[in-house]
Amino acid sequence: MINVNDRNLIKKAIEKINKLSEKVDKLKIMHVCGSHEHTICKYGIRDILPENITVIPGPGCPVCVTTQKEIDTAIYLADNGYVITTLGDMYRVPGSEKSLMEKQAEGCDVRIVYSISEAVKMAKKERDKKFVFVAIGFETTAPTTGAELISLKNKDIDNFFILNCHRQTPPIMEFLLSEKTYIDAFICPGHVSTITGLKPYYKPCEKYKVPMVVAGFEPIDVLMAIIMILRQIITGNIKVENEYIRAVKPEGNVLAQKIINEVFESIDVPWRGFPIIKNGGFGLREKYKKFDIYEHEDIPEIEEKIPKGCICDKILRGEKLPTDCPLFGTVCNPLNPVGSCMVSDEGTCRIFYKYRKI
């Protein structure tokens, strides 16, 4: 519920955007956060923006950007006797043929957990079974995985492993800027930035001369970020700014960064819908590789089979909206997701289905 004071602030922000928009040409602003998309869709922010200002969703959902090959790897492990522990959203993401949920229905031991620590407790209790935790997420969840592995480093546990699918956000933003010319500015992810701080955005901002504003998740946060971007473009003073000062410090969360740096190193990995992204992932450092399932299992090469008609790749790149997909809302829906973007609450298609179904 938006109170009266917030309504007044929002009204003034919209008036300011309309006034500033008269001084710029067409402008495309990308965000890379599912929570931002929730706010934008729920409160109809796109509908009240001037015609020359467009906000497009990008690859801001960790479930969505996990590759089909990684899903298929988890399914392969389930078929070969491993207990697969996974967060709820990953449970329903389609692989080439089936999802983990469907494999569970066929008799595989697939369990939904709320955290890696819950999976570890299961492994300690059932020492006769081999457990794999599907570790997904950006900089916000990598510290939890890291902290758990640090606590296990010198413990006697040989039946717990992770399928590491962690990824880094700033490299994908830089890739998008290097490949495309349709992005004029970024609304940077608030949750990620609480961990990373502002530093990772300085280099791409300076290199590509693109405004980057970290924003919170209330409607006024998103509107203020747009105002800050417009001001930068009008004045020519392009920089990294922090609208979300109540939660994001310039230096970020130093303790979480130390945990990440202790356990992980930057590696080049593919994202769903993208090629291999330089430094786009977190790889386990040598002293923690005993937890890497790839060090213990000879996993065969798995060929991806993207469903015909699905345009998740273009949606993740910001080239298309869910409503451009011929499968959206018909063949593909939350009960029967064809692509990854329809599964998670952070997925663009799922959000559009909830708020903007046509």
Side-chain angles (χ1 to χ4, degrees):
M1 180 81 60
I2 299 176
N3 61 41
V4 174
N5 289 334
D6 288 339
R7 287 179 186 274
N8 290 334
L9 286 173
I10 289 169
K11 182 179 179 181
K12 289 179 180 179
I14 294 170
E15 290 173 353
K16 189 67 175 178
I17 289 171
N18 285 326
K19 186 175 180 179
L20 291 173
S21 69
E22 296 174 359
K23 301 179 181 180
V24 300
D25 295 325
K26 287 186 176 182
L27 184 67
K28 283 196 174 182
I29 303 169
M30 176 179 274
H31 72 77
V32 284
C33 179
S35 296
H36 281 146
E37 188 59 32
H38 265 291
T39 300
I40 290 164
C41 281
K42 181 178 181 179
Y43 294 98
I45 288 176
R46 285 193 183 91
D47 298 329
I48 55 89
L49 292 177
E51 288 186 2
N52 60 328
I53 308 297
T54 305
V55 178
I56 54 177
C61 164
V63 171
C64 304
V65 302
T66 301
T67 64
Q68 189 184 76
K69 188 176 293 188
E70 288 166 319
I71 305 299
D72 287 339
T73 297
I75 289 171
Y76 170 84
L77 293 167
D79 280 334
N80 282 272
Y82 284 87
V83 179
I84 304 300
T85 56
T86 177
L87 303 179
D89 284 346
M90 289 298 295
Y91 178 67
R92 298 179 60 244
V93 180
S96 294
E97 304 292 341
K98 298 179 180 180
S99 66
L100 285 168
M101 179 178 71
E102 290 171 300
K103 296 306 296 183
Q104 183 192 54
E106 292 178 358
C108 291
D109 197 341
V110 179
R111 308 180 191 181
I112 296 176
V113 295
Y114 292 100
S115 67
I116 184 175
S117 60
E118 187 179 351
V120 169
K121 287 178 183 177
M122 291 178 179
K124 288 180 177 179
K125 186 176 180 180
E126 302 174 56
R127 300 302 290 260
D128 59 323
K129 298 178 181 178
K130 296 179 292 183
F131 284 76
V132 171
F133 175 71
V134 183
I136 67 164
F138 302 136
E139 291 87 346
T140 44
T141 52
T144 16
T145 300
E148 194 68 37
L149 296 189
I150 289 171
S151 71
L152 293 176
K153 182 182 175 185
N154 298 316
K155 298 286 180 62
D156 179 23
I157 182 167
D158 59 2
N159 67 326
F160 177 80
F161 314 97
I162 70 167
L163 176 59
N164 180 22
C165 307
H166 284 300
R167 284 170 169 80
Q168 300 192 70
T169 307
I172 198 70
M173 296 167 67
E174 186 164 2
F175 172 83
L176 284 162
L177 290 172
S178 71
E179 290 289 305
K180 302 294 181 182
T181 59
Y182 61 82
I183 300 171
D184 301 301
F186 268 110
I187 296 176
C188 300
H191 294 136
V192 165
S193 300
T194 61
I195 304 298
T196 66
L198 306 182
K199 185 178 178 181
Y201 308 121
Y202 290 146
K203 183 180 175 183
C205 176
E206 182 179 356
K207 182 177 180 180
Y208 296 99
K209 307 301 180 187
V210 168
M212 294 190 171
V213 177
V214 176
F217 304 102
E218 298 299 324
I220 190 62
D221 289 316
V222 175
L223 294 172
M224 282 304 302
I226 294 171
I227 290 172
M228 293 163 79
I229 287 168
L230 287 170
R231 284 174 174 165
Q232 286 191 37
I233 290 173
I234 291 167
T235 62
N237 184 19
I238 307 302
K239 57 186 175 181
V240 176
E241 285 190 280
N242 182 14
E243 184 277 337
Y244 200 24
I245 56 175
R246 63 187 183 275
V248 174
K249 299 178 181 178
E251 69 278 13
N253 186 322
V254 177
L255 177 58
Q257 291 170 20
K258 286 182 178 178
I259 291 172
I260 289 174
N261 291 333
E262 161 67 20
V263 177
F264 299 102
E265 59 185 353
S266 296
I267 59 171
D268 304 342
V269 296
W271 290 44
R272 185 186 287 256
F274 293 85
I276 293 175
I277 304 300
K278 183 175 176 58
N279 296 325
F282 288 116
L284 290 175
R285 293 189 183 275
E286 190 62 38
K287 54 188 172 181
Y288 292 97
K289 281 193 174 179
K290 67 179 183 178
F291 298 109
D292 189 340
I293 188 59
Y294 286 102
E295 298 291 312
H296 300 271
E297 190 73 29
D298 186 16
I299 298 170
E301 185 64 27
I302 300 173
E303 182 181 352
E304 292 187 326
K305 300 176 184 177
I306 305 301
K308 186 177 181 180
C310 178
I311 63 167
C312 274
D313 58 336
K314 293 180 176 62
I315 292 169
L316 290 168
R317 287 171 172 265
E319 297 173 359
K320 299 284 186 179
L321 291 176
T323 46
D324 296 320
C325 181
L327 308 182
F328 175 74
T330 55
V331 176
C332 183
N333 58 68
L335 292 178
N336 181 46
V338 175
S340 63
C341 296
M342 186 59 87
V343 178
S344 170
D345 285 340
E346 298 293 295
T348 303
C349 293
R350 179 69 177 268
I351 296 168
F352 266 61
Y353 187 91
K354 182 175 182 179
Y355 295 113
R356 298 174 62 93
K357 184 180 178 184
I358 58 173

